[in-house]
Structure formats: C-alpha cells, structure tokens
Amino acid sequence: MMPLFGSLSTYTRADLRADTVAGVVTAILLVPQAMAFAVLAGLPPQIGLYASFLPPIVYAFLGTSRTLAVGPVSVSAIMVASALGAYAGNTEAYLGTTLVLTLEIGLIFILLAALRLGELANFLSHSVLSGFTTAAALLIIVNQVPALLGVPGVSGNTTTYTGIAAILNQRDALVWATALVGVAAMLLLLAGGRSPPALLRRSGLNSQWADVFGRTIPLLAVIATTAAVMIFDLDRRYGVATVGAVPGGLPSIHFMPLQFHLWLELLPSALAISLISYVESISLAKVLADRRRQRVDANQELLALGAANLASAFSSAMPVAGGFSRTAVNFAAGARTQIAGIITGLLIGASLLAFTPLFARMPKATLAAIIIVAAAKLIDIRTVVGTWRYQRSDAVILLLTITGVLALGIERGLILGVGLSLLSGVWRMSRPHIAVVGRVPGTNHFRNVLRYRVETWPELLFIRVDADFNFMNMRRIEEFVMARLLRQPQARHLVLICSAVNHIDSSALLELERLVIGLRADGVTVHFAEVKGPVLEGLQRVPVMRQALPGRIYMQAADAIAELAGAGEPVSEAKK
Amino acid sequence: MMPLFGSLSTYTRADLRADTVAGVVTAILLVPQAMAFAVLAGLPPQIGLYASFLPPIVYAFLGTSRTLAVGPVSVSAIMVASALGAYAGNTEAYLGTTLVLTLEIGLIFILLAALRLGELANFLSHSVLSGFTTAAALLIIVNQVPALLGVPGVSGNTTTYTGIAAILNQRDALVWATALVGVAAMLLLLAGGRSPPALLRRSGLNSQWADVFGRTIPLLAVIATTAAVMIFDLDRRYGVATVGAVPGGLPSIHFMPLQFHLWLELLPSALAISLISYVESISLAKVLADRRRQRVDANQELLALGAANLASAFSSAMPVAGGFSRTAVNFAAGARTQIAGIITGLLIGASLLAFTPLFARMPKATLAAIIIVAAAKLIDIRTVVGTWRYQRSDAVILLLTITGVLALGIERGLILGVGLSLLSGVWRMSRPHIAVVGRVPGTNHFRNVLRYRVETWPELLFIRVDADFNFMNMRRIEEFVMARLLRQPQARHLVLICSAVNHIDSSALLELERLVIGLRADGVTVHFAEVKGPVLEGLQRVPVMRQALPGRIYMQAADAIAELAGAGEPVSEAKK
C-alpha cells in the first residue's frame, strides 16, 4: 500500500542528495507554472500553489512511480475552465464548484482502483489522445492570447471560434505595455528553451545540467518582468495588469455540503478529466520506469492519483495529475525516489508562507506567456503526419478529434474521438481475415491459395478464419463460405480450420448451426479441424450443435484429406 | 434493380397457380392481423389494411426474397405506440405523426442502401435481438389485456409496470361479455394453432395444407365472434366494444408539410424501428432463401423495404416489415415468386373496396386475442436457457435487455442491450490470447508450453499473440511480455510470432516501438517471426520502426533458434 517504504529500504545519503537537488529544481519550475495553470483554469493563482503542496506529498507516499511530479497540469486546467464556464463571474461559486469537481475526480480514481478498472484507459487510443491534446493546446493558446496582449477576452469559452471572435472584437482595447511585457516574456521563454542550454553546454557544463538550468527560465522570466513592473511602475502608469495581492499562508481544509444535483451535473466533466489525467500520468510514469527498469502498477497509480486529488480538494485547490514538463525536469535533475516529490511539496508550502507578497506585482501577461509556451509544446504535428503515412483511418479519427474539440468543445470532442475509435475497432473486428487454404505439397501445412502454390481437391473446401467467431463477424464469415461454395459447386465437404479461434460467442454459435443445417440440406457436410480445447468443450455443452454437426472434428486439417478426398487426385493450383 | 423480372423470366403456369393459392391464403391471414396490429399501434384498424395493400406490391417489384410477406408487424407496431405515446388522444396529430415516422423509416432504409451500410445490422447480436423480442412480446400482451377483458387500459404506455398497474386499478370496470368474447376467441386461436392441423392430417389431408388451414383460424375467429355480436346484439345489449365503422375505399395519397423539429424528435424512434425491422426481415428472408438455395442481397433488401415504407407513408399508413407468421404461411402455402405478394396486396385492396362494412361490428376483444396469441409465440425462453448454458455473459446481456425494455421502455432497453453487447465485444477484443510457445521436439512446429511437451531455451523467449495488435489490447500484450521476462531474467532475445496478426493499428505500433526500445535498454532484443505480407509492408512504411528494430524478421520461428540459441541446449519442458 505504501510503495515509498520500498524505496526507502535501501535509501543512501547519495540518494538523499540527488533527491534534494531534483526537488529544489522542480519547485523552482513549479511555482510560476502552478500559478499560471490556476489562472488558466479561471482560478486565483494561489490555488495552483495549494494544489502543488499537499498533493505531491500524498502521491509520494502512495505512488509506484518514483519520479512522477504531481500538480496542476495545463490540459486538465483548460478542462476545468470549460466545465465551470457557467459559474464564471461568481468567484465564490466558482471556487466551491472546483472543489466539488476535484473531490469527484479523486473519488472516481479510487472507485476505479477498487474495481480494478484501470484497463478502461486502454480504450483511449493514441490517435484520440494525441488529437485531443493538440486541440486542447490550441484552445489554451487562444484562451491566453487576450491576457498576453492586455485584451479583456472571454472567460469560460470552450470553442476556438468564440475565443478568436472575442479577441478580434476587442482588439481596440489592446494595452501596448501589457503586450510588450507579454511578448518579451514569451521571447525569453522560447529562447530559454533553446539557446542557453546550448550556450551553457559549450561553456563546459554537463548537458543534463544545462537542460535543467533551461527549465528554470520561467522563474527568471517571472523575476525579470516583475522587477520591470516595480522599477518602471508599469502597472500604475501604463495599465499593465498584475496578479494582485496573493493571500499567503497554508491552505485551510474545507468541508463541502453535499449537493447531489451539482455532483450529477459535474459527473461527465469529472469522468473526462479523470480519463485524460490518468492516461497522461500512467503513460509518463511507464516511459520513465522503463528507462530505469522499474515497474509501475496501474491500479496503485489510480489509488495514488485519487488520494492526491482528495488532498487537493481538501486544501481548497484544483484537479492534479502527473505533469509532463515538470516530471521531465525532476527526472533530468536526478530524482531517484519519491523523496524528491516530498521536498518539492514542502518547498511550495514554504513559498506560500514566505514569498506570496512578492507575487503581487507579477504581470498577468507573464503567466499567459508561460502557459502559451508550455501549451505550444503539446501540439503534436509529427504524430498527425506519422499516423497519416501509416494508417489513414486512424489519422482521420485524429483529425476529427481535433476538429471536434475545436468546434464542439472539449468534452464533446473527446466523446466524439473515443466513440469513433471504438467504432473503428468494432468495424475492423467485424471484418475478419478469411482464407481458402490448400496443402503445401509433400507437407501437412496448409496455406492461402492466393499466396502459395498448394494442392486442392474439387470435392473438398478448406477455409481458415483468423478470428474468433462472434456476432459482429459471423455474417461475413457465412457470406464468404456461401460465395466460395457457389464458385466450387462440386464441393461436398467444407472443413473449417479453427486454429485461430479462441472463442465462439452464442450469437455466432446459432448462425453457425444455421449454416451447418442449411449446407447439409444443400449436400455439403461441414467438418471442423484444429479446434482448440476450450472451444471444443464449449461446443460440446450445446446439445443442438452436437446433433446439427454431421461432420467430424479433425485434430489436423491434413487428416481430413485421407478420409474425405477418397480416391480424388489433388489439383495443383498456382494462383496469385 | 428489379429482381421480380429475374423471377418472371422462367415463369410457368404452375408457378402462377401456386402463387395465386399462396397469395389468397396469406391475404386471409393478413386481413384480421393487419387490423389488429394497427390497433396495437394505437391507430384505426383500416390503417393496417392500407399498409397491407401497396407496400407488399412495391416490395414484390424490388425485393430479392421471393417469399417474404411484407406488412404491419407486431413488434414495430408496439414501437410505434411507444414512440407516439405523447400524441395519444389527438387522433389527427397521431395519424400525421405516424406518417412522418413511416416516411422517415423509409428514408433511413434508402440512405443505408445508398451508403451500402446494411452491415450495421451485424452489430445487433442474437442475444440482444432475442431479449428485445421477448420483452416486446410481454409488453404487447400487457398492452392488449385491457381490450381483451373490456377494461379501459392506458394508451401509449411503454413500461410493463404502468400497464399492469392500469389493469389492476381498473379491474372493477371489467365487462364480462367482452371478456367472454375475448377469451373464447383466444381459446379458438390457441386450439387452432394445434388440434385442427392434427385432426385434418388424420383425416387424410396433406400435412402442409393442414398447416395452412390452421393459419386461417384468425379469420374464422373474426367471423365467428362478429356473427355472435350480430346475432345476440352483444354490443348494444351487453356493452361489448366493437371496431365501429371502418371507412372503405382505397387510401388517398397524402403530402405532409415538412416540420424539421418533428423529424428530429422522431429520429431515435425511426432508427430503432428501422434496425429491428431490417434485422427481422433479413433474417427471415435468409432462412427461407437457404431452404430453396436462393440468394438474398442485403442491400437490395434495404432498398425494397425502404420503398415499401415510402409507399406505406404515401398511403396514409404505418411502418411495414417482413412479418414472421404471414411469411411462414406464404411459404408453406407454396409461394414460388414475388407474384404471390402482388396477389396478396391486390386482395387486400379489394377487401378495402368491398368488405369494410362487415368489420363494423367486429369485437375489439377478438383483435386483442389475435395480437396476444401472435405475441405469445415471440416469447423465446429456449434461447434464454440455451444461452445461459453456453455462455453466461451473453445470457446476462439477454436478461438485461429484457429487464431494460420492461423497466425503461422499448427504445432505451434496446440501446442498453446494443451498448452492452458492443462493450462486451470490445472487452473481449482487449484480452487477446497470448501464449509462450516452444518447439515440438524433432519438428519445426511451435506449441503452447502450458499444453504440450516442448523445447525451450533459457536465453530465448518465443511468444505468440493470437490477435491483431490494436489500441485496446496492446497494453495487455506488453504486460504479458514484461511479466514473462521478469520470470526468465536470462532471456536475451524475444521472438514475437505474428502468424495470427493481420493488422497493427497506429496506436499499437507506437506502443510496440516503445516496448522494443525499452527492452533494448534492458538487454533484450526483440525479433519477429512469421509476419504476414501486408503487416510487414505496413511496418516498413514507418521510418522510426525500421530504426527501432534491432532484431530480425524470420520467415519461420524455427529459423530463429539456429541463429539466436547459439550453442545453447534446449530444455525439455513438460508443464501442465
């Protein structure tokens, strides 16, 4: 239940040193990012800090990933903004509803862990996830451009169209000083992501450390722009919007009254956020665990993320998950165990106690720049191109998911994508690979007559179905058999080779029975070959099937030839 | 486009004689049944006759089934009643809405035919169809008991609970004379289904004809009870409800104003009725075609059913489909071609012109008895028991579909069933059969180490996945591989045998790539064997995969042994 203790059983001084450094570096990244993501979710900036204090500590005790850094993340932040759009303007209600949403997400995680249903995440295909993330990133950018340029913008908007329209309608309201600060911060961040690591590396710094240093650029941007505001009085003289007084102190624990209708109303959003958060976190945790030959337990992760979200809800904060950029920093900075996460959490707690007065004159445009640069990294054109090259149908689903999120809103877009990818899976499942096979001369092997030179017999038809028989594909199997028999009217025996059949469902069984009876009336006897043990046991449980089956069940398809072909000579076929 | 002309190219006098007899016998059954099903749908009885005049004639021209008898059917009638419950009481609006619904169903069929999407019906599993039909039959019976007993009843009710409650609440209103007529008609029908054929057969009549004669019992019941009403003045003196004046004459063609919101409102019902009607009709057509070695074209059937429904809508009637009992009569009475259907339609048209005055004093209880006896035959306990024995999960879906229809209503129950069966299909697809295999000594065959005595090598691991790799099952495949490698830490080579893999989707490809890279870092090289042509071509289209793959691709799994096992001696395993 507490994977942390496993990590601590062999804990050394060197481990503590590495974890401390990583924890500090991650905290430096996390402070501005957490505030920015809270603003993205439509919340006051300190909420992001609250979500970065207790949740990573709770996760550290329960999570199996040693390096996953938990806190507010951009995609779920925009999902929160979209879910709570109706409450925008009423700060009290907005905050209260965020807590209910976070609590609900935590409970969903724990319920899924209890039911061991982590596998549900398997139904989110990579195409849908990639399309969803790209579209969410575009939404995030559109959502933050107003703050970057000092334009009022629309809160709680959920489609790109309304977002872009709002920006264009209010372009006259642009505050030049804000735009200047915002663009400067963005340029610093963009440059920081590239040149300094390269520069530092050339100056002899270890490349890993150069990378880590590059990640502290957000804090530098915050310090530089806040200093500029203070020195030049940009807020009072030029109207640059700042964060304003950030209440200090640790979060107080809240208890919420139970409002059933609100819980029900938020349920779809909570499910969508849980699904995305879980899949992102577990994928990230697995990639990192693979690199260090560690194992991640999917169910335990659900439990840990659930507990982290409950901790977030009880500290008046927002939904949390494993975040990509900060986990990468934590890993690159050398985190060895969950202790690094505990150190990060404690440092955020300390900053809440000591540093919040410093945030008051931080320009909002800097936070917008941090969000935009983080979101831009989520736009994944490579996957679109790669998927298009490899498989058109998946690429179409990916593009439809993007379009759906941008045009219909974030949750409906996700539902559209998941629905389409499941349908395409079902559609493919309904079209099994079926082959007429013949014997490779001189062997007992059977191969596709279209691909190999094999022997066949006019009165015998061997068909191999490379799929389980189920209600979705049985009609196609039947049609294939009937079409092939029409082309081989001398056939008197049909041998169904079931080497790839692991299961026959009850609908398929009835259709199969009907097929066997129908063909018998037509003078064709149906036999089976290479039926696997469990399938055979299933068939024998059904009295009707035992009676309906006039043919035999052969261990090997080749056994059927001696018995059924009689004196018939094989025909050597060479089709292509 | 006109399969009828194909049938007529070899038409003989004997065919005409057979078709005429069958057409007449079917019409005799159809007159009371059509009126009864119209009443079941909440419509005046003549609507059922309208639906039995032009639609079978239109179907005869376009349909590929030579013997399917098209007209109103009980299951879609109760679905119409359920869909239009909100309009009950306002005859004008109810009739108008029925026409829109019928038109919409016709257009859905034609759209599906144009898109060649008849395969969508494959997604309705036999368990769901059977459960749905059984539950609909129970609903029909509950719906008709009030009319049988002379109790007022509730129109448009859609759950059994409200239906049964209505009957119990109004049991004081029971009209004894009506109940007497109803029960007598029902006994006659029940007896007619059994004894007379046996009796007649013993008296030397051909058994097939005895069967056909048994099917005319509904008309006899109608004549006998109507005569009783006339002779004893049951309607005026004892309050037996009768059908009342049935307007004569052929239906007039109607044009409906286009009301978009109404179309949208009726769309879910129209889709549900189309799906059920199509699956019932095509299954019936296929069973009969099989018996006479004829072929049914699914797409052409969609077109023909669509046209029949359009014809029904334009003759002010109700949705039509292939009906089970009347098709069975048509077939048993010797129908050879679609000419029988045309004769049935013309006879119904003639009866509209000549006989409607005779229907005025027909007791409603007789129609209720006809409906109840027809519905009772649809209750399919055998499939419940058979499915339970063969496969619990399918039986549970069947029972949940029944419960859903009875408790939630007809459409929501259907959606529940279809959703559950698709989910169970997807769930099964996400759990592929995976086996560690070894070489059968002295051969090149590989078999499951759990089932056969085979050779394995400590540094080599052979794994065979019996399914396509896709986004739903890839994580399970990966978990299986990782778990197996943990138990065989000496393994240096993993050979994935892909003999059953016909497709790898783009999500699975990415996961596979990640697995290959992760294992390489762990000192395990991944190889592939027996990769099918199309899969190999797909893999080679992806540059990353070419680079990521340090291992080889073997034609035969056995080829890997010579190269990878080196001097290593096999271990003979005998696990069970």
Side-chain angles (χ1 to χ4, degrees):
Chain A
M1 280 297 280
M2 289 273 185
L4 173 63
F5 300 142
S7 306
L8 292 186
S9 58
T10 59
Y11 207 66
T12 64
R13 277 197 139 194
D15 289 336
L16 180 62
R17 205 158 40 229
D19 281 342
T20 307
V21 171
V24 172
V25 170
T26 308
I28 290 171
L29 172 76
L30 193 47
V31 169
Q33 217 184 44
M35 292 168 75
F37 292 162
V39 169
L40 174 60
L43 294 161
Q46 71 273 15
I47 299 293
L49 296 175
Y50 295 167
S52 312
F53 166 42
L54 287 182
I57 297 178
V58 168
Y59 178 84
F61 276 88
L62 294 170
T64 48
S65 167
R66 298 186 171 198
T67 45
L68 193 70
V70 166
V73 293
S74 60
V75 173
S76 63
I78 188 95
M79 291 176 88
V80 169
S82 152
L84 304 187
Y87 299 90
N90 179 344
T91 312
E92 196 62 34
Y94 199 95
L95 273 172
T97 315
T98 307
L99 298 197
V100 173
L101 184 63
T102 310
L103 189 59
E104 211 167 338
I105 291 168
L107 292 176
I108 288 171
F109 277 130
I110 288 174
L111 188 69
L112 288 178
L115 298 173
R116 309 194 73 79
L117 282 179
E119 281 183 50
L120 279 183
N122 290 355
F123 299 137
L124 189 68
S125 80
H126 191 270
S127 317
V128 173
L129 184 62
S130 164
F132 178 80
T133 309
T134 294
L138 290 172
L139 266 186
I140 290 170
I141 292 171
V142 169
N143 177 293
Q144 290 298 307
V145 166
L148 186 82
L149 303 178
V151 167
V154 181
S155 61
N157 65 63
T158 55
T159 73
T160 37
Y161 175 75
T162 51
I164 292 174
I167 296 170
L168 293 179
N169 283 336
Q170 308 198 306
R171 61 185 182 277
D172 298 336
L174 187 134
V175 179
W176 287 103
T178 303
L180 194 70
V181 170
V183 171
M186 201 158 75
L187 289 176
L188 182 60
L189 289 165
L190 286 175
R194 301 242 169 79
S195 342
L199 259 172
L200 293 167
R201 225 171 294 151
R202 244 174 289 142
S203 65
L205 202 69
N206 173 316
S207 87
Q208 191 186 350
W209 276 105
D211 217 46
V212 167
F213 180 78
R215 302 291 188 152
T216 62
I217 297 286
L219 191 68
L220 292 183
V222 165
I223 292 171
T225 53
T226 307
V229 168
M230 285 166 136
I231 295 165
F232 303 109
D233 246 4
L234 294 179
D235 45 353
R236 286 166 209 152
R237 290 169 59 187
Y238 301 97
V240 170
T242 55
V243 164
V246 176
L250 299 180
S252 52
I253 290 184
H254 273 251
F255 293 96
M256 286 146 276
L258 209 64
Q259 292 171 282
F260 184 68
H261 75 98
L262 183 63
W263 280 68
L264 209 62
E265 182 195 316
L266 294 175
L267 187 60
S269 306
L271 285 171
I273 298 174
S274 307
L275 178 67
I276 293 292
S277 302
Y278 174 61
V279 174
E280 290 278 19
S281 305
I282 193 87
S283 311
L284 202 51
K286 274 194 175 171
V287 169
L288 298 178
D290 279 0
R291 294 223 190 130
R292 291 197 185 150
R293 308 194 194 178
Q294 291 155 356
R295 298 273 297 158
V296 171
D297 181 275
N299 241 40
Q300 181 72 26
E301 285 302 294
L302 275 174
L303 192 69
L305 288 170
N309 273 289
L310 291 188
S312 193
F314 285 110
S315 32
S316 318
M318 58 188 290
V320 294
F324 182 75
S325 60
R326 102 188 49 126
T327 301
V329 166
N330 194 38
F331 191 84
R336 295 195 185 166
T337 72
Q338 297 94 324
I339 294 292
I342 294 177
I343 290 168
T344 302
L346 292 175
L347 284 173
I348 302 283
S351 78
L352 272 168
L353 289 175
F355 306 131
T356 48
L358 302 177
F359 302 146
R361 297 183 78 187
M362 182 193 302
K364 282 185 173 175
T366 306
L367 293 185
I370 291 174
I371 296 173
I372 290 174
V373 171
K377 286 181 194 145
L378 297 177
I379 296 176
D380 183 3
I381 302 296
R382 234 191 60 193
T383 296
V384 179
V385 175
T387 307
W388 182 264
R389 282 215 193 105
Y390 179 69
Q391 192 187 336
R392 287 294 138 86
S393 62
D394 279 0
V396 168
I397 289 171
L398 194 161
L399 292 171
L400 284 175
T401 306
I402 294 181
T403 317
V405 170
L406 296 183
L408 305 174
I410 214 156
E411 283 163 24
R412 277 183 284 179
L414 180 63
I415 291 170
L416 178 76
V418 170
L420 285 175
S421 70
L422 286 181
L423 260 187
S424 95
V426 164
W427 188 256
R428 195 177 296 285
M429 182 160 60
S430 77
R431 314 176 147 245
H433 185 258
I434 314 174
V436 174
V437 295
R439 185 171 64 176
V440 179
T443 73
N444 279 335
H445 292 255
F446 280 72
R447 288 282 183 279
N448 193 335
V449 297
L450 298 177
R451 289 182 166 261
Y452 293 86
R453 175 183 284 272
V454 291
E455 296 171 336
T456 60
W457 285 260
E459 67 276 32
L460 252 168
L461 179 59
F462 288 94
I463 288 181
R464 193 189 69 219
V465 180
D466 289 343
D468 289 353
F469 291 24
N470 61 42
F471 68 94
M472 290 173 256
N473 65 21
M474 195 59 213
R475 260 166 255 201
R476 281 209 150 240
I477 296 172
E478 190 195 331
E479 270 162 28
F480 182 93
V481 167
M482 296 308 285
R484 206 54 190 68
L485 279 173
L486 274 185
R487 282 167 52 197
Q488 190 174 329
Q490 328 91 295
R492 287 291 155 265
H493 298 281
L494 167 68
V495 181
L496 282 175
I497 301 180
C498 298
S499 51
V501 178
N502 293 297
H503 186 257
I504 298 179
D505 79 5
S506 61
S507 289
L509 187 73
L510 277 164
E511 289 271 329
L512 194 60
E513 197 182 307
R514 208 166 69 62
L515 180 72
V516 167
I517 293 171
L519 287 179
R520 180 164 53 178
D522 228 22
V524 177
T525 309
V526 179
H527 310 264
F528 292 83
E530 300 178 25
V531 183
K532 295 192 179 180
V535 176
L536 194 62
E537 285 154 26
L539 289 181
Q540 284 166 345
R541 237 179 301 148
V542 189
V544 188
M545 198 64 202
R546 277 204 304 266
Q547 293 152 18
L549 190 70
R552 286 201 44 191
I553 295 177
Y554 296 100
M555 275 292 283
Q556 297 270 327
D559 301 344
I561 295 173
E563 198 167 304
L564 303 177
E569 278 301 304
V571 183
S572 198
E573 296 197 26
K575 297 184 185 157
K576 183 71 196 188
Chain B
M1 281 296 279
M2 288 274 184
L4 173 64
F5 300 142
S7 306
L8 291 187
S9 58
T10 58
Y11 206 65
T12 63
R13 277 198 140 192
D15 288 338
L16 181 62
R17 205 159 40 231
D19 281 343
T20 308
V21 171
V24 171
V25 171
T26 309
I28 290 172
L29 172 75
L30 194 47
V31 170
Q33 217 184 43
M35 292 167 74
F37 292 162
V39 169
L40 174 60
L43 294 161
Q46 70 274 15
I47 299 292
L49 296 175
Y50 296 167
S52 312
F53 166 42
L54 287 181
I57 297 177
V58 169
Y59 178 83
F61 277 88
L62 294 170
T64 47
S65 167
R66 297 185 172 199
T67 44
L68 192 70
V70 166
V73 293
S74 60
V75 173
S76 62
I78 188 93
M79 291 175 88
V80 169
S82 151
L84 304 187
Y87 299 90
N90 179 344
T91 313
E92 197 61 35
Y94 199 95
L95 273 171
T97 315
T98 307
L99 298 197
V100 173
L101 184 64
T102 310
L103 189 60
E104 211 167 339
I105 291 169
L107 293 176
I108 288 171
F109 277 129
I110 288 175
L111 188 70
L112 288 178
L115 298 174
R116 309 194 72 80
L117 282 179
E119 281 183 50
L120 280 183
N122 289 355
F123 299 137
L124 189 68
S125 80
H126 190 271
S127 318
V128 173
L129 184 62
S130 164
F132 179 79
T133 309
T134 294
L138 290 172
L139 267 186
I140 291 170
I141 292 171
V142 169
N143 176 293
Q144 290 298 308
V145 165
L148 187 82
L149 303 179
V151 168
V154 182
S155 59
N157 65 65
T158 55
T159 73
T160 36
Y161 176 74
T162 52
I164 291 173
I167 295 170
L168 293 180
N169 282 337
Q170 307 198 305
R171 60 185 182 279
D172 297 336
L174 186 135
V175 179
W176 287 103
T178 302
L180 193 69
V181 170
V183 171
M186 200 157 75
L187 290 177
L188 181 58
L189 288 164
L190 286 175
R194 301 239 172 79
S195 343
L199 257 172
L200 292 167
R201 226 173 291 151
R202 244 175 286 142
S203 65
L205 203 68
N206 174 315
S207 86
Q208 191 186 348
W209 276 104
D211 218 43
V212 168
F213 181 78
R215 302 292 188 151
T216 63
I217 297 286
L219 190 68
L220 292 182
V222 166
I223 293 172
T225 53
T226 308
V229 168
M230 285 165 135
I231 293 166
F232 304 109
D233 247 3
L234 294 179
D235 44 354
R236 286 168 209 151
R237 287 170 59 189
Y238 300 98
V240 170
T242 55
V243 165
V246 175
L250 299 179
S252 51
I253 290 184
H254 273 251
F255 293 96
M256 286 146 275
L258 208 64
Q259 291 171 282
F260 184 68
H261 75 98
L262 183 63
W263 281 67
L264 209 63
E265 183 194 315
L266 293 176
L267 187 61
S269 307
L271 285 171
I273 297 175
S274 306
L275 178 67
I276 292 293
S277 300
Y278 174 61
V279 174
E280 290 278 18
S281 304
I282 192 86
S283 310
L284 201 52
K286 274 195 175 171
V287 169
L288 297 178
D290 278 1
R291 294 224 189 130
R292 292 199 184 149
R293 307 194 195 178
Q294 291 154 357
R295 299 273 296 158
V296 171
D297 181 274
N299 241 40
Q300 180 72 27
E301 284 301 294
L302 275 173
L303 191 69
L305 288 170
N309 274 288
L310 291 188
S312 193
F314 286 110
S315 33
S316 318
M318 58 189 289
V320 294
F324 182 75
S325 60
R326 102 188 53 125
T327 300
V329 166
N330 194 38
F331 192 84
R336 295 195 186 168
T337 73
Q338 297 95 324
I339 294 292
I342 294 178
I343 290 168
T344 302
L346 292 176
L347 284 173
I348 302 284
S351 79
L352 272 168
L353 289 175
F355 307 130
T356 47
L358 301 177
F359 302 147
R361 296 182 79 186
M362 182 193 300
K364 283 184 172 174
T366 306
L367 293 184
I370 292 173
I371 297 172
I372 290 173
V373 170
K377 287 182 192 145
L378 298 177
I379 296 176
D380 183 3
I381 302 297
R382 234 191 60 191
T383 296
V384 179
V385 175
T387 307
W388 182 263
R389 281 215 195 106
Y390 179 69
Q391 193 187 335
R392 287 293 140 88
S393 62
D394 279 0
V396 168
I397 289 171
L398 195 162
L399 293 171
L400 283 175
T401 306
I402 295 181
T403 316
V405 170
L406 296 183
L408 305 173
I410 214 156
E411 282 162 24
R412 277 183 282 180
L414 180 63
I415 291 169
L416 178 76
V418 170
L420 285 175
S421 70
L422 285 181
L423 261 188
S424 95
V426 164
W427 190 256
R428 194 177 296 284
M429 181 159 61
S430 77
R431 316 178 145 245
H433 185 257
I434 314 173
V436 174
V437 294
R439 185 170 66 176
V440 179
T443 73
N444 280 336
H445 291 256
F446 281 72
R447 289 281 183 278
N448 193 335
V449 297
L450 298 177
R451 289 181 166 261
Y452 293 86
R453 175 182 284 270
V454 291
E455 297 170 335
T456 60
W457 285 261
E459 67 274 33
L460 252 168
L461 179 59
F462 288 94
I463 288 181
R464 193 189 67 221
V465 180
D466 289 343
D468 289 353
F469 291 24
N470 61 41
F471 68 94
M472 290 173 256
N473 65 22
M474 195 58 213
R475 262 166 254 200
R476 281 209 151 240
I477 296 172
E478 190 194 330
E479 271 162 27
F480 183 94
V481 167
M482 297 308 286
R484 205 56 188 69
L485 280 173
L486 275 185
R487 281 166 52 197
Q488 191 175 331
Q490 328 92 295
R492 286 292 155 265
H493 298 280
L494 166 67
V495 181
L496 282 175
I497 301 179
C498 298
S499 51
V501 178
N502 292 297
H503 187 257
I504 298 180
D505 80 5
S506 60
S507 290
L509 187 72
L510 278 163
E511 288 272 328
L512 194 60
E513 197 182 307
R514 209 166 69 60
L515 180 71
V516 168
I517 294 171
L519 287 179
R520 179 165 54 178
D522 227 24
V524 177
T525 309
V526 178
H527 310 264
F528 292 83
E530 300 178 25
V531 183
K532 295 193 179 180
V535 175
L536 194 61
E537 286 154 25
L539 288 180
Q540 284 165 343
R541 239 179 301 149
V542 189
V544 188
M545 197 64 201
R546 278 204 303 269
Q547 295 152 15
L549 189 69
R552 285 201 44 192
I553 295 176
Y554 297 99
M555 274 293 283
Q556 296 269 330
D559 300 345
I561 295 173
E563 200 167 303
L564 303 177
E569 278 301 304
V571 182
S572 200
E573 295 197 28
K575 296 186 186 156
K576 184 73 195 190

